[in-house]
Amino acid sequence: DLAAIQAAAAQKRLDWRWLGAKDHAEPAMHDYQVFLNPSTSDVVATTTAEALAMGKWAVVPDIACNHFFKRFKNCLQYSNAAGFVSAVDKALLNEPTPMSDAELNKLSWSAATERLLDVGSLAAGEWPSAAEMRYNAALWRMYRSIVGLSALREALGMTSPNGADDPTVDSEDMEDEDEQLLPRGRLRRR
């Protein structure tokens, strides 16, 4: 993508310097106090968390993967071009607010692990019943059989760029090879 971005910048006669990849711990990076992450496909957003933990402004789009960061004063989110300009102006004209120990803790791996365990834990009464599990397994098998039709996958744009995908086989299928689907959607162990 870098070559395409550089070509677009040159075509628009933008006077940009390309510094290449830099580690955030390099001393040269310490003088920068604004982190721009315009990505709309960054699912984990670790770089945003690192920038905030380093006491920098983080300018990010207001999308689902950045929702967690709304709680931090130094995170400026935008939803359109005017909002982006406003956020960058604020970041360039103001010093970032020092983060409290509690805020820094929220950005730690241990706090992230605790949040994962909290949302991933089921109480004893919340486990699905055996019937629900069989029903879900039947729906899963039906879905896998439909997406296994290569013509359908290609029509829907569901193939990988190298064509090496095989959506009919995955680790979950391999673990449950001893199940077979019965005509009425019931599962029977062999």
Side-chain angles (χ1 to χ4, degrees):
D1 292 343
L2 179 60
I5 294 169
Q6 288 174 327
Q11 183 180 18
K12 294 182 179 192
R13 293 186 172 94
L14 298 174
D15 185 22
W16 288 0
R17 292 183 304 143
W18 303 95
L19 303 176
K22 299 283 183 202
D23 187 293
H24 68 272
E26 286 185 35
M29 300 303 292
H30 295 183
D31 293 337
Y32 293 94
Q33 64 182 22
V34 180
F35 174 73
L36 302 177
N37 186 3
S39 175
T40 57
S41 62
D42 190 356
V43 180
V44 179
T46 305
T47 54
T48 301
E50 289 174 347
L52 288 169
M54 292 173 66
K56 300 180 184 307
W57 289 107
V59 178
V60 298
D62 187 2
I63 57 176
C65 67
N66 292 326
H67 178 77
F68 169 77
F69 300 113
K70 283 185 177 185
R71 68 187 78 201
F72 299 99
K73 296 176 220 125
N74 294 339
C75 183
L76 305 174
Q77 296 191 353
Y78 61 90
S79 56
N80 55 38
F84 174 79
V85 170
S86 176
V88 171
D89 281 347
K90 179 177 179 173
L92 292 175
L93 297 173
N94 297 284
E95 291 292 320
T97 303
M99 294 185 71
S100 68
D101 288 341
E103 287 175 310
L104 286 171
N105 181 58
K106 288 178 184 174
L107 294 170
S108 71
W109 282 113
S110 61
T113 302
E114 286 299 319
R115 286 190 299 274
L116 175 65
L117 293 174
D118 287 346
V119 299
S121 301
L122 292 177
E126 295 176 319
W127 285 99
S129 68
E132 288 174 308
M133 290 174 63
R134 286 192 302 272
Y135 175 74
N136 290 338
L139 288 177
W140 176 247
R141 298 267 184 299
M142 185 180 355
Y143 164 77
R144 298 302 284 178
S145 67
I146 291 170
V147 298
L149 301 172
S150 59
L152 178 62
R153 284 194 343 272
E154 288 176 21
L156 295 174
M158 296 170 62
T159 57
S160 67
N162 63 7
D165 59 339
D166 184 355
T168 60
V169 177
D170 66 14
S171 60
E172 190 168 322
D173 289 336
M174 289 176 193
E175 292 169 9
D176 296 329
E177 284 178 342
D178 58 337
E179 290 182 352
Q180 83 179 28
L181 192 58
L182 296 176
R184 289 176 299 194
R186 296 186 184 165
L187 293 172
R188 173 178 67 201
R189 293 262 178 215
R190 289 187 199 169

